[in-house]
Amino acid sequence: MTEKKNSNTMWGGRFGSGPATIMEQINASVDFDWQLYAHDIAGSRAHAEMLVVQGIISAEDGTRIAEGLNTILAEIENGTFEFSRSLEDIHMNIEARLATLIGDAAGRLHTARSRNDQVATDFKLYVRAAIDRIDALLADYQSALADKAVKFAGTVMPGFTHLQSAQPVTFGHHCLAYVEMAARDRGRFQDARKRLNESPLGAAALAGTSFPIDRDMTATALGFDRPAANSLDAVADRDFVLESLAAASITAIHLSRYAEELVLWSTPQFGFIRLSDQFSTGSSIMPQKRNPDAAELVRAKTGRIAGALTSLMIVMKGLPLAYSKDMQEDKEPAFDAFANIELALKAMTGMVTDLEPDVKAMKRAAGAGFATATDLADWIVRVLGKPFREAHHITGELVAMAEGLNLPLHRLTIEDMQSIEPAITDDIFSVLTVASSVKSRASLGGTAPANVRKQAKKWQTKLAREAAKRN
């Protein structure tokens, strides 16, 4: 027999009995949405203050509500608040406790609002705060990369395409590539923040309210730019979560790409970097192992974060306006995704700060695989006046010759080179070292050490100014 419970006190007038146990289990969200408690209390304070100013509730009731909410906030933060799954969610848990603390005045708090606009407001406040934390963490990550870029602006390493040696670059230049990626990530989060910063509070269930509320007042009190313009959209909108999760997913992909490189570079086969003991683990059976577990876990977090985005897109794709209970499934994946992108950023920043490149190993690898072949072709174009396609062909023949002789390009003799192209002179050797190659790449955005140093210092200055403003 299905267990029945007493009528729920929050809407008991309509129902003669309470929900089945399994209904309570599937319906309850307080196990995860308790994380909205501070935002829920902030929204309730703003709403109560507005109700008092508008003459909708008395100043005495407003004072009692504010005092009760302060008590509840303290109880939650010191761990003495008792959450009840039978009350479903954080909103009703707080409302029930408020009624215990201050009596009938608590019932007036919900005048002119619904849980629909209440939860939308709380969730927007939560996501906005998460964006601000993530932005600060991305800035820290950029700073760590920019510091490495300054220090190793002239450290030569191979640049890859198809994971094959392509052209020499510098380690500093490689670090700055991720600084730029992180800048775009921050831009996406900032754009999402601008769009989400409209207050749903006062939209009520879906149609607005007949009470003379002041939505501008509550929007201002909660730091929103303005009230949301349409009450249906205000409670039905979860774009702000989707957009923020999309930004988090792209950020996670960028972190994962660098994590993959750190995993590869820390192997004996590459030997480009050494991760510190703080971000490495050992093996239970193989005592020689240094495993890049932090980087591997950052790489894996991408699945969880992108999965949260996919989950919410599927939840939202078929929902008619305005609110449906399906939307309760928006929070748990989002909470997890934001927590994990923050964790991944902290781990990556730590790894970047602590890692040490093996300068000699990088330099050796930079010259492998005929990495200066493009420099040779460019010299033929620039000095001999050949069309690039012809220079490309000549260089290909020289590479084939060097490969056949098992020599790097700069070890071919002038006679060897002239057997392919008689006009080549000894000056060709001035461009065939990796140092000369990177130095020559002085075009805007190029890998020349002077470029890298200048750009890295510019980023250091910009990020230091931002940090000073935040602090």
Side-chain angles (χ1 to χ4, degrees), residues 25 44 51 59-60 71 83 103 110 130 153 218 225 243 319 324 375 424 435:
Q25 290 175 354
S44 290
L51 293 176
E60 293 77 14
T71 299
F83 293 97
H110 210 55
T218 52
D225 294 330
E243 188 172 6
L319 296 187
S324 297
D375 299 274
I424 289 175

Side-chain angles (χ1 to χ4, degrees), residues 48-86:
E49 288 170 8
M50 180 274 296
L51 293 176
V52 170
V53 170
Q54 294 299 106
I56 298 170
I57 66 173
S58 69
E60 293 77 14
D61 282 343
T63 299
R64 283 194 285 271
I65 288 168
E67 290 173 348
L69 291 172
N70 288 341
T71 299
I72 292 169
L73 181 63
E75 289 176 347
I76 295 175
E77 292 186 339
N78 66 29
T80 61
F81 188 92
E82 293 185 12
F83 293 97
S84 170
R85 297 188 83 211
S86 67

Side-chain angles (χ1 to χ4, degrees), residues 129-345:
I131 287 173
D132 291 344
R133 292 193 304 273
I134 291 166
D135 182 73
L137 290 171
L138 277 164
D140 291 343
Y141 175 53
Q142 287 180 296
S143 292
L145 288 164
D147 291 346
K148 279 289 188 285
V150 169
K151 186 174 180 180
F152 298 104
T155 298
V156 179
M157 67 172 289
F160 299 97
T161 61
H162 309 278
L163 206 56
Q164 305 290 316
S165 291
Q167 291 178 270
V169 295
T170 70
F171 182 54
H173 191 56
H174 200 102
C175 290
L176 286 181
Y178 286 100
V179 174
E180 295 292 337
M181 288 187 202
R184 295 194 297 276
D185 293 329
R186 294 180 68 189
R188 276 182 281 271
F189 277 114
Q190 288 158 9
D191 288 346
R193 193 189 193 286
K194 289 176 186 174
R195 270 184 286 278
L196 76 75
N197 213 34
E198 296 183 346
S199 174
L201 195 57
L206 76 163
T209 177
S210 59
F211 289 95
I213 61 172
D214 185 344
R215 293 190 63 208
D216 287 300
M217 179 181 173
T218 52
T220 300
L222 294 170
F224 289 109
D225 294 330
R226 64 192 68 84
N230 182 281
S231 60
L232 281 168
D233 180 52
V235 298
D237 168 36
R238 291 299 183 270
D239 293 4
F240 65 96
V241 195
L242 288 169
E243 188 172 6
S244 301
L245 288 174
S249 297
I250 296 170
T251 300
I253 288 167
H254 287 160
L255 295 178
S256 183
R257 293 183 72 177
Y258 198 24
E260 170 70 6
E261 291 183 325
L262 296 183
V263 170
L264 289 172
W265 293 350
S266 63
T267 62
Q269 290 75 17
F270 274 82
F272 286 2
I273 63 165
R274 180 181 176 87
L275 293 173
S276 74
D277 290 353
Q278 294 187 82
F279 293 97
S280 304
T281 64
S283 165
S284 63
I285 189 172
M286 295 168 283
Q288 82 281 10
K289 293 292 292 298
R290 287 179 58 84
N291 298 325
D293 281 9
E296 291 171 352
L297 288 166
V298 167
R299 190 172 58 185
K301 295 292 184 187
T302 307
R304 293 175 69 160
I305 295 162
L309 171 62
T310 303
S311 172
L312 184 54
M313 287 194 294
I314 292 169
V315 166
M316 297 301 298
K317 72 169 184 65
L319 296 187
L321 296 180
Y323 180 84
S324 297
K325 192 68 170 181
D326 312 49
M327 291 162 71
Q328 182 170 289
E329 293 297 314
D330 59 357
K331 294 168 199 66
E332 198 168 12
F335 292 161
D336 183 79
F338 293 133
N340 277 285
I341 194 65
E342 290 181 42
L343 182 60
L345 279 164

Side-chain angles (χ1 to χ4, degrees), residues 56 97 393 442:
I56 298 170
R97 177 59 178 154
H393 184 77

